Amino acid sequence: MELVRKIMDRELTPLQRDAVEKYYLQDWTLAQIAQERYVNVTTVWRTLLGAMRKIRRFLLLDEEECEETVNSVRKNRVKG
């Protein structure tokens, strides 16, 4: 879970991170998140889908590769 949290903190947008936390960790429904944001459920679903794709991409690497990739991507973004 620590690795997933690190990926979420470094790779997801604030909206993606918020949606993942509410949906998967706090058991909110898509409808509740949509109502809070004044958007439709499809928008929330797409936000979650994008977030989970990012997380999955990193988790398919072994843990060492994941750490290296997350850290190198972060450094490149700060430099660029």
Side-chain angles (χ1 to χ4, degrees):
M1 186 64 180
E2 183 179 326
L3 183 56
V4 172
R5 175 58 70 183
K6 186 182 269 189
I7 294 167
M8 286 174 58
D9 290 344
R10 293 183 180 179
E11 301 302 319
L12 301 185
T13 67
L15 286 176
Q16 287 175 324
R17 190 170 36 256
D18 180 66
V20 168
E21 288 173 355
K22 287 180 177 163
Y23 187 74
Y24 290 104
L25 303 176
Q26 299 173 13
D27 294 324
W28 285 39
T29 66
L30 294 175
Q32 289 171 316
I33 299 168
Q35 184 176 12
E36 180 192 50
R37 293 185 180 181
Y38 301 102
V39 298
N40 64 42
V41 172
T42 303
T43 300
V44 175
W45 179 79
R46 286 182 180 153
T47 300
L48 282 171
L49 183 63
M52 296 313 293
R53 283 181 177 153
K54 286 181 182 180
I55 292 169
R56 189 178 309 116
R57 178 177 47 140
F58 284 97
L59 292 179
L60 288 175
L61 304 172
D62 69 41
E63 189 169 344
E64 187 175 315
E65 284 180 310
C66 185
E67 284 285 336
E68 289 175 17
T69 304
V70 170
N71 290 331
S72 68
V73 169
R74 182 68 169 172
K75 288 176 188 172
N76 289 337
R77 284 189 187 156
V78 172
K79 289 179 184 178

